[in-house]
Amino acid sequence: MYGLVNKAIKELIVSEHGEASWQRVRTAAGVDVDEFIRMEQYPDSLTYDLVAAASEELGVPPVKVLEVFGGHWVKYTGQQGYGDLLDMAGATLFDFLENLDALHTRVGLNMDKLRPPSFEVEDRTDHSLVLHYRSVRDGLAPMVTGLLKGLAEKFGVAVDVTLRDSKSDGADHDVFMVALK
Ligand code: 1MF
């Protein structure tokens, strides 16, 4: 994945737990880079290793690390020059989710190595929708839960997020129910 992802993980750990904690995570993950380059490609395994090491260091399950990271990604990219990209994608949470594929197409115009997930909205009403999440990567559904909660915060709404079908339980892909509270 692009270095921006690993930079976001580092920033989250440094700001919440301090530089020493980050250095322990980085070392335990066997990562010798300390300054990631945001437009450079790194192996997905490096990102998964950082999540596993952060889980050990902080004593929280990997699933929780991913969820917290998903929430952080929305704030981090908003602050790191992608605020306009996010603002253009929609004025409400549900419009934003409908436009996520277009957002990734836009990012991918400049980054030919981007392997974006796809998000398909189904059964949209005023207060709920069904979200299909398809990715070349496995195990990131908890991050999507965090992304949805982070987005809800950005748009000032409260949501219930439930994973209806789970790829890790054998479903074809992950399916979320998203309901406004
Ligand atoms: O393939 C990739 O490297 C990749 C990296 C990040 C693919 C997707 C993403 C973003 N995505 C990460 C989790 C899902 C990964 C997967 O399932 O395979 C989060 C998508 C998302 C969901 C809900 C709400 C907001 C979301 O993201 C908004 C977003 C998406 C992409 C970027 C920024 C915000 C982005 C921007 C620049 C990038 C890479 C991603 O790289 C550049 C480009 C230009 C100059 C420097 C770096």
Side-chain angles (χ1 to χ4, degrees), residues 74 90-97 124-129 145-161 178-181:
V74 175
T92 67
L93 172 64
F94 286 6
D95 284 349
F96 188 100
L97 296 177
R124 176 174 174 175
T125 71
D126 284 347
H127 49 87
S128 69
L129 56 73
T145 301
L147 285 161
L148 291 169
K149 291 180 177 168
L151 281 175
E153 207 177 306
K154 170 178 160 63
F155 288 109
V157 295
V159 286
D160 271 325
V161 176
V178 183
L180 298 177
K181 290 203 266 201

Side-chain angles (χ1 to χ4, degrees), residues 1-2 4-5 38-39 41 73-74 77 82 85-86 96 100 103-104 107 111 113-117 119 133 135-137 140 143 147 151:
M1 281 190 274
Y2 277 99
L4 187 66
V5 173
R38 71 196 167 103
M39 58 205 316
Q41 279 277 120
W73 176 255
V74 175
T77 53
Y82 304 97
L85 181 82
L86 299 183
F96 188 100
L100 258 171
L103 179 156
H104 282 105
V107 174
M111 311 313 282
K113 297 280 169 48
L114 193 78
R115 288 191 294 159
F119 292 91
Y133 161 61
S135 174
V136 295
R137 305 182 176 95
L140 299 184
M143 182 178 172
L147 285 161
L151 281 175

